[in-house]
């Protein structure tokens, strides 16, 4: 008779607390926030604009970022005229 391990290979499955609650691990969450903040700060410096927190949280694609930047640059130019 064959042993169980020969017929059914075992796999290690990671079951973390974060997976049970539906929340991402805290470390990954902090990394995303840190990267997002740095990206927004870089955009503000590069284009000399001010990005409101609400605006930056709603963008999910590169096109949306480009549209947001264009809108803010135009708004700034209109305010300076």
């Amino acid at each position: 008779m064959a042993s169980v391990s020969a017929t059914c290979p075992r796999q290690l499955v990671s079951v973390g607390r974060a997976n049970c609650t539906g929340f991402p691990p805290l470390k990954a969450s902090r990394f995303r926030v840190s990267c997002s903040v740095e990206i927004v700060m870089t955009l503000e410096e590069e284009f000399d604009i001010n990005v409101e927190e609400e605006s930056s949280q709603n963008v999910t694609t590169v096109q949306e970022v480009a549209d947001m930047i264009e809108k803010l640059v135009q708004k700034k130019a209109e305010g300076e005229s």
Side-chain angles (χ1 to χ4, degrees):
M1 186 167 170
S3 70
V4 172
S5 62
T7 58
C8 299
R10 295 181 184 179
Q11 281 186 311
L12 294 178
V13 177
S14 173
V15 181
R17 195 145 182 62
N19 293 335
C20 296
T21 62
F23 294 107
L26 187 56
K27 186 176 182 181
S29 178
R30 276 188 270 176
F31 178 73
R32 267 194 300 267
V33 169
S34 175
C35 287
S36 298
V37 169
E38 288 187 37
I39 290 170
V40 170
M41 290 174 61
T42 302
L43 291 172
E44 288 179 327
E45 289 175 12
E46 184 68 29
F47 294 97
D48 194 28
I49 57 176
N50 292 317
V51 178
E52 295 180 18
E53 187 175 342
E54 292 173 1
S55 299
S56 65
Q57 290 178 350
N58 294 328
V59 294
T60 57
T61 67
V62 174
Q63 185 60 54
E64 289 174 351
V65 172
D67 293 342
M68 179 186 69
I69 291 169
E70 183 177 14
K71 181 176 137 186
L72 290 172
V73 168
Q74 286 177 351
K75 185 178 176 181
K76 183 178 179 191
E78 291 170 0
E80 292 177 353
S81 323

